[in-house]
Amino acid sequence: MKKMIPFVARLDGDETQLWLKVLQDALPDYQVVAFDQVGDEQRAGVEVAIIADPDPADLALLPKLKWVQSLWAGVERLMVELPDANFDIVRLTDPQLAADMSEAALAWTLYLHRDMPAYRVQQEKKIWQHCELPLPSQRCVGFLGLGKLGTVAARRLLDNGFDVCGWSRSKADIDGVATFAGPEGLGKILKRSDILIILVPLTAQTRDLLDEKTLGLLPHGAGVINFARGPVINNRALIKALDSGHLSHAVLDVFDIEPLPQDDPLWNHAKVTILPHISARTNYQTASALAAGNIVRFFEDGDMPETVDRTAGY
Ligand code: NAP
């Protein structure tokens, strides 16, 4: 009999069905089953589950669970909702996701580098006037977060001629990228970043990382791109810095509340570009193949995939 892998998710019906199909295709020797179709007896023996925004109450019904494979890269919600879980969490680390994120980093950096927001405003007013365009090498792009996504994106910007620097918890070593680490490195990277790209996870340490004081360290006229999580930036401080002219523009892909509420002032701010959390979306095929690989290696070779560090929170 095929081993059963439950899929525990709080997604809409169509998305659940699509995931069940692609996961089953990727795991032909296993039986992937929606959690509500798993009987009590079967639940008692489950060691591994695949999850996508799972209900913690459902996972609590799997007493022998050893680890869960998430289909998302971020684990912020899991850290909040499963504080005492006695199983490990494996998140999605997908080279396709990193490639997509690096494309987004390049696209929105060029948007700011090439003054596209300003040309949009000029067109509305029928103004024919050029903005000074520095060379990419004269524009410093700073990455907060040099993990699976930040590292690939930093390299892509480097390939496009930008002056690139980055910041992480432990000091990273990336050819051609000036790197900084820890609280003492934060001021250093902020002071030199003409365009700041945020790719740190949301943890107790990174909540409100960019407040009035830290945003104030960025060079005058800097742009900010947030791909990470909304609460890493304090929005009141951000709006103040944009209104005063200290910052030129913010591209925001992530928000404190998603979807962004209709009455949020960010929607109508002339210096803010709003994106609906689309920078790097999980790809059904590549994510299923990666999840399947982890599961097969675990059951066939006893290999445990890399798990989330609960103490660090990511
Ligand atoms: P990752 O591999 O875990 O990398 C996180 C990076 O942040 C690492 O370099 C880490 O430092 C650094 N970091 C964490 N806490 C820090 C702190 N307190 N001070 C300094 N640096 C800190 O994560 P990832 O896969 O690159 O993903 C990053 C984030 O992107 C996710 O957590 C998620 O929020 C977001 N995301 C967004 C989208 C989207 O579509 N918008 C899609 C996927 C993911 P170390 O290297 O020293 O550990």
Side-chain angles (χ1 to χ4, degrees), residues 20 33 59 135 180 189 218 297:
L20 285 168
V33 183
L59 293 175
L135 294 171
F180 304 88
I189 188 172
L218 287 164
R297 279 189 297 278

Side-chain angles (χ1 to χ4, degrees), residues 73-76 91-93 97 101 144-151 167-172 181-183 198-203 205-206 209 226-229 253-254 277-281 312 314:
V75 292
E76 286 84 355
R91 71 188 184 102
L92 180 71
T93 53
L97 197 80
M101 184 57 91
L144 297 188
L146 288 171
K148 296 277 192 285
L149 304 181
T151 300
W167 178 75
S168 47
R169 214 154 57 102
S170 50
K171 194 163 172 347
I198 304 167
L199 270 170
V200 279
L202 176 63
T203 64
Q205 286 71 42
T206 62
L209 183 67
N226 189 7
F227 292 137
R229 288 292 180 264
D253 187 43
V254 286
H277 203 138
I278 43 78
S279 305
R281 292 177 63 79
Y314 66 98

